[in-house]
Amino acid sequence: MKSVRMLKGSASAAAIASLLAIAAPSLAQEAPVEAWGVEQTDVEADPSITYGRLPNGMKYAIRQNDTPEGAASFRLHFEFGSLYEAEDERGLAHFIEHMVFNGSTNVPEGEMVALLERQGLAFGADTNAYTSFDETVYQLDAPNATDEAVDTAMFLLREAAGNATFAPEAVDREREIITSERRQRDNVSLRGLIDRLEFQLPESLYDDRLPIGLDTVLREAPAERLKSLYHRYYRPENATLVVVGDFDVAAMEARIADTFGDWEGVGEAGGKPDIGRVDLERAAAFSVFTDPASSSNVVIAVARPYTDPADTLAERRAETLESLATSIMNRRLERLANSEGSPLLGGGVMTEAFDPVTELTMLSIGTGDGQWAQGLAIAENELRRALQYGFTASELQEAIANTEASYRRGAEQADARRTRALADAIVSVAGENDFVTDPAWRYQLFGAMKETLTLPAVNEAFQNLWTGSAPLITINAKSVDGGEEAVAAAFANAATVAVEAPADAAVATFAYDSFGDGPGEVVAGTVIEDLGIRTVTFANNVKLNIKQTDFEPGRVRFNVAMSGGQFALGDAGPGEALLLQLVAAQAGTAAHSFDEIQQVTVGRQVTPGFAAGTDDFVVGGATTPADLALQMKVAAAYLTDPGFRPEAQSRYTSLIGAVYAQLTSQPPLVFQFESSGVLTDDPRFAFPSQEELQAVSLEAIRAPFTANAADAPIEIAVVGDMDADAVIAAVAQSFGALPARADVAPDYSEQREVAYNDLSGDEVATFTHGGPADQAMAGSVWRTADDGDFREEVTMRLLKEVIDIYATETLREELAATYSPLVDNSMSSDFVDTGQLSVAAVVSPDAVDQVQALIPTLAARLRSEAVSDDMLLRARQPLLERVRQRRKDNGFWLGVASSAQGEPDRLDRAREEEAILQGITAADIMALANKYLVPERRADIRVLPAAAAAE
């Protein structure tokens, strides 16, 4: 069973249909669902998936997939989560997940992660697990699915399935790590969720069985209690194995039978929990959650009876109608949020299913700080308007067009689905009463039902979503004067306001079909043979780089870079970059508002807006070959004729006010924001105050941006499954037709220089956060260099991986001071001699001094002691496999092609990266540590809760 199923956004119909269910025996594909206990219906299961059940009851699903080539993904699912815990077991389902990696019958404690690293699987990136209310899932992703790697993955999952040992001393060592994870995850969002569940589901287990559990249980539960719970539910009849990748299916099926066929449950099986109930007759109720770090949020919810119907064509049509209705409602809220002076920051309708007690329909919106009452009134009025008058024909037409386009893209790009995503999609429905279906089948189904998706049917579906209990209103805010009584009064007042039927909005005509007298002329071009990149230069000096690949059939990735960025904006700092990152799309163009841009691109895959880099303005994303020409025109409009509309400014101002307290209440974010400023007094690297961020203005940006956009060099990269001549034609009609551009970008020499502080290694900078009092952070940051020396940059990446392993072994496994050390490395391509490596950990305040003193010893160890061959292998192999896999990824090649003409010397990096990485020695690591990880380049940083810092 699954606890949550969501419907939201304009593409929600596609999301529903794309992740629906499985079932099947392996040898009887004509009736694929029977072995999984799911009754065959008129829905056609995806025939590319082989299903089966072993004699011991374990289910499995296998699918061949070669995107990316040579990789494989493994998922082991248990129908067991925190809802299955007794009162004295709260948190032990998640604790068990940890212990599975900490010793088993055939793998000593501490060896499992090392074994995986030697096979090229990095802990966290490729090997992970999660525990929810009703499931526990183990995830292994092998970037190189050799026989040895596959055997290792299967062996370790078999160890997880029934062979965990729970040695008392190992359990005791893990207790502090578990409680540290609870501490690290404790943020305002989690506290708000807990409060909402207690309010909405008060008579069920959902409000007091969060997977993170209770500290008292985690610290005191004996190892035998964990072992008993493990054996009650880690049983073959509760398990599902999903394997997707580039292998022979029959051979994999034999491997599964050979590896898991002897697995038997131990002791008596555990039963299903009594999860409780929800009172659907409950009167209207109001709840207020306040926290100094909370943003302002309003939720209107109704509870309905829980249902889990069979996956039939009729049920899929019903879900599609619901999805269309919610996407229309969400579009209305989006328009309101994008209007000038709106208190709304965004919002939408979604449903959550809490098996088996209830289903909730919720309208949730965010507002500016202190504007919850205005937001509640808008939410109530708009919901009532939709229920009273329904939707309009043009709204439904837009929703259908977007949904149909999403299905079509899914069918066209079916072979582009990556192995990890397919494995996740299949495992997400293990235990569900549904089927996984093929994208082409879903597209055909939508076409067949399209004529029945009428306005009356959509309106009725929306009415049904809101039929249930009396309203349950939740307000999250920093403070609410008057508490629940004030909320009840505001809701009652909103209900007295008369609402009118919505009017059909006029559809704009696209104003940017032409950018000159005709298409741009190509004046030069060549082919970089060994990299497969075709370069083109237009008469106006716009540069285009094209690489055709078959990695993602039906999909094209693009990057448009116009020189300038923050350097072109004068004294711009992080505030201006953040402003454009958040609202450049909503700022529209001179001819079109953001809403009009969405209208004219209905049914098309187009990315609006742009972002400000250090020395360029960038539009990037993914589209289809058919939509590329429109994408180029929209990108050209945003970059050369921006709107900088006032509604975007007001949205930004509200956003900063709403989220700043959240940003500054989380120690890792404070550390990240402040670490650069510790190394230099350059104001461009200082973290701005809330007042400074709110003072940033689009209007102040307008003049320097416009001056730069008049002739700034533009370089475009397009990578993927397309015809190169069609790409050239698409760019010729947009960027190629612009007035002449400068041929060479400014070097911004003075702006690239940074003056750094002299460090002695004794500095300890202390900052504060506004979050929980039991959270603190200790860390060190070393100043390194820019990425000009590529061999040094690759060596630094490997050094970072070594430090990550050292920090995990020391701070997590030995000291148990933190759940997950945070190790980061960056070497700038924009600023001279600028880079940093940092090591930090979220810890309890009383452990700050100990951890602060310990972190520099990791660097000292690297300076004085050569890493072992095994350590070098564990660090290098996952990095090497990622490098190899990246060469089969369009995202990597987009990065290579994006500056193929502007910075041709960097092309050698694509040629040399793997060889450099393979050639790095332990001596190279030590030399780099002695060059950069020295006291005179180090500053220490503490982030303390505000109260502790004051003391």
Side-chain angles (χ1 to χ4, degrees), residues 56 160 221 361 672 738 774 786-787 869:
N56 61 11
T361 302
Q672 177 186 335
L738 292 171
D774 67 343
D786 59 52
D787 72 347
D869 290 345

Side-chain angles (χ1 to χ4, degrees), residues 264-581:
E264 297 179 359
V266 176
E268 185 177 348
K272 297 283 187 180
D274 178 4
I275 299 174
R277 61 185 292 276
V278 166
D279 181 7
L280 300 179
E281 303 301 319
R282 179 183 178 187
F286 305 89
S287 174
V288 172
F289 170 78
T290 60
D291 190 291
S294 179
S295 57
S296 183
N297 182 259
V298 174
V299 176
I300 301 176
V302 298
R304 298 175 283 119
Y306 176 81
T307 60
D308 186 20
D311 188 2
T312 64
L313 297 181
E315 179 62 19
R316 292 200 172 213
R317 176 179 177 273
E319 288 187 333
T320 300
L321 289 168
E322 291 178 358
S323 175
L324 290 169
T326 57
S327 68
I328 294 171
M329 187 66 191
N330 295 351
R331 184 78 170 89
R332 284 189 179 181
L333 294 171
E334 183 182 38
R335 288 193 183 101
L336 288 170
N338 289 329
S339 61
E340 185 177 0
S342 173
L344 302 191
L345 299 179
V349 173
M350 66 180 180
T351 67
E352 285 184 304
F354 293 89
D355 183 3
V357 297
T358 192
E359 293 179 13
L360 296 177
T361 302
M362 296 184 291
L363 190 160
S364 175
I365 61 169
T367 76
D369 239 4
Q371 295 181 296
W372 66 265
Q374 298 96 307
L376 178 59
I378 292 173
E380 192 282 334
N381 290 176
E382 291 306 315
L383 177 57
R384 184 155 42 92
R385 190 192 317 278
L387 292 172
Q388 187 171 333
Y389 296 107
F391 303 117
T392 69
S394 64
E395 287 176 316
L396 178 58
Q397 184 179 8
E398 179 180 323
I400 287 177
N402 282 327
T403 303
E404 185 171 30
S406 179
Y407 278 121
R408 182 180 65 251
R409 287 193 296 271
E412 293 171 349
Q413 300 173 5
D415 291 339
R417 291 175 295 170
R418 300 186 71 79
T419 288
R420 288 188 183 195
L422 283 167
D424 290 338
I426 297 172
V427 81
S428 72
V429 293
E432 290 288 289
N433 194 23
D434 302 305
F435 308 109
V436 167
T437 55
D438 179 72
W441 182 88
R442 294 197 294 271
Y443 180 40
Q444 293 172 357
L445 175 63
F446 185 81
M449 71 170 67
K450 183 178 174 181
E451 295 302 316
T452 74
L453 305 175
T454 63
L455 194 57
V458 170
N459 287 334
E460 181 182 5
F462 193 71
Q463 293 276 352
N464 291 339
L465 283 174
W466 291 95
T467 301
S469 71
L472 305 173
I473 313 299
T474 305
I475 303 295
N476 287 14
K478 288 182 174 62
S479 63
V480 174
D481 291 340
E484 294 172 9
E485 291 183 1
V487 175
F491 186 69
N493 290 337
T496 65
V497 177
V499 294
E500 298 179 352
D504 254 355
V507 178
T509 301
F510 190 48
Y512 296 98
D513 265 333
S514 175
F515 287 84
D517 296 332
E521 178 187 355
V522 174
V523 296
T526 188
V527 176
I528 305 170
E529 295 288 352
D530 65 322
L531 298 179
I533 297 173
R534 179 177 175 181
T535 67
V536 171
T537 302
F538 291 91
N540 64 353
N541 285 326
V542 167
K543 297 173 174 60
L544 170 64
N545 309 316
I546 305 167
K547 181 175 175 64
Q548 294 171 278
T549 72
D550 58 2
F551 302 142
E552 297 177 309
R555 184 175 299 159
V556 175
R557 296 186 184 270
F558 67 92
N559 187 83
V560 180
M562 180 175 74
S563 294
Q566 294 180 61
F567 286 162
L569 299 180
D571 296 328
E576 284 77 5
L578 181 61
L579 168 66
L580 291 173
Q581 185 75 36

Side-chain angles (χ1 to χ4, degrees), residues 787-801:
D787 72 347
D789 182 334
F790 186 53
R791 190 177 194 283
E792 183 172 270
E793 192 272 332
V794 175
T795 307
M796 184 62 77
R797 275 189 265 158
L798 186 54
L799 172 61
K800 180 260 182 189
E801 296 300 318

Side-chain angles (χ1 to χ4, degrees), residues 566 571-582 652 656 684 686 688 692-694 696-697 701:
Q566 294 180 61
D571 296 328
E576 284 77 5
L578 181 61
L579 168 66
L580 291 173
Q581 185 75 36
L582 291 175
Y652 167 80
I656 289 300
R684 295 174 297 175
E692 289 171 327
L693 286 174
Q694 287 185 309
V696 175
S697 164
I701 292 174

Side-chain angles (χ1 to χ4, degrees), residues 2 75-79 135-138 238-241 427 430:
K2 290 287 187 288
R75 304 288 184 266
L76 182 59
H77 174 281
F78 289 96
E79 194 169 338
E135 65 179 357
T136 302
V137 178
Y138 295 89
N238 290 339
T240 302
L241 178 68
V427 81

Side-chain angles (χ1 to χ4, degrees), residues 515-516 520-521 523 536-544 560-565 568 616-617 635-642 704-716 731 734-746 748:
F515 287 84
E521 178 187 355
V523 296
V536 171
T537 302
F538 291 91
N540 64 353
N541 285 326
V542 167
K543 297 173 174 60
L544 170 64
V560 180
M562 180 175 74
S563 294
D616 58 10
F617 298 102
Y638 266 98
L639 287 174
T640 64
D641 196 29
F705 182 92
T706 303
N708 178 79
D711 66 351
I714 292 174
E715 186 164 7
I716 302 165
V731 175
S734 51
F735 288 100
L738 292 171
R741 322 297 296 178
D743 186 42
V744 180
Y748 297 111

Side-chain angles (χ1 to χ4, degrees), residues 51-234:
Y51 303 89
R53 186 191 295 264
L54 297 177
N56 61 11
M58 189 191 87
K59 297 181 294 184
Y60 60 85
I62 311 170
R63 189 189 191 281
Q64 198 282 334
N65 190 63
D66 58 5
T67 304
E69 181 181 347
S73 289
F74 305 81
R75 304 288 184 266
L76 182 59
H77 174 281
F78 289 96
E79 194 169 338
F80 163 66
S82 58
L83 289 173
Y84 291 71
E85 299 165 349
E87 185 67 24
D88 65 352
E89 296 170 334
R90 290 177 63 177
L92 298 192
H94 175 238
F95 203 146
I96 289 170
E97 173 209 310
H98 277 240
M99 292 308 302
V100 161
F101 290 104
N102 270 307
S104 65
T105 303
N106 299 297
V107 182
E109 180 188 0
E111 279 300 306
M112 185 174 290
V113 170
L115 195 158
L116 287 163
E117 288 167 340
R118 295 179 192 117
Q119 293 296 326
L121 282 73
F123 185 64
D126 306 304
T127 65
N128 217 321
Y130 65 85
T131 304
S132 70
F133 284 121
D134 50 25
E135 65 179 357
T136 302
V137 178
Y138 295 89
Q139 305 163 304
L140 296 180
D141 294 296
N144 185 15
T146 62
D147 284 345
E148 185 180 6
V150 170
D151 286 342
T152 298
M154 296 286 279
F155 163 71
L156 292 179
L157 290 175
R158 176 64 182 88
E159 291 295 289
N163 293 337
T165 50
F166 300 94
E169 60 275 15
V171 170
D172 289 340
R173 280 191 288 271
E174 197 69 18
R175 294 186 196 279
E176 287 303 318
I177 295 172
I178 291 279
T179 54
S180 177
E181 181 179 1
R182 183 212 56 75
R183 180 188 306 115
Q184 191 163 327
R185 295 189 187 281
D186 183 8
N187 57 39
V188 68
S189 297
L190 177 62
R191 296 192 294 276
L193 171 64
I194 294 171
D195 186 81
R196 178 170 70 83
L197 292 176
E198 289 175 348
F199 169 63
Q200 293 176 335
L201 310 171
E203 297 177 59
S204 77
L205 286 181
Y206 281 102
D207 72 325
D208 63 1
R209 285 295 187 275
L210 264 74
I212 200 62
L214 297 178
D215 270 11
T216 52
V217 174
L218 299 175
R219 292 184 184 279
E220 298 170 7
E224 196 57 39
R225 191 180 303 167
L226 277 85
K227 190 173 185 179
S228 172
L229 186 62
Y230 170 77
H231 284 307
R232 293 206 306 273
Y233 291 103
Y234 276 57

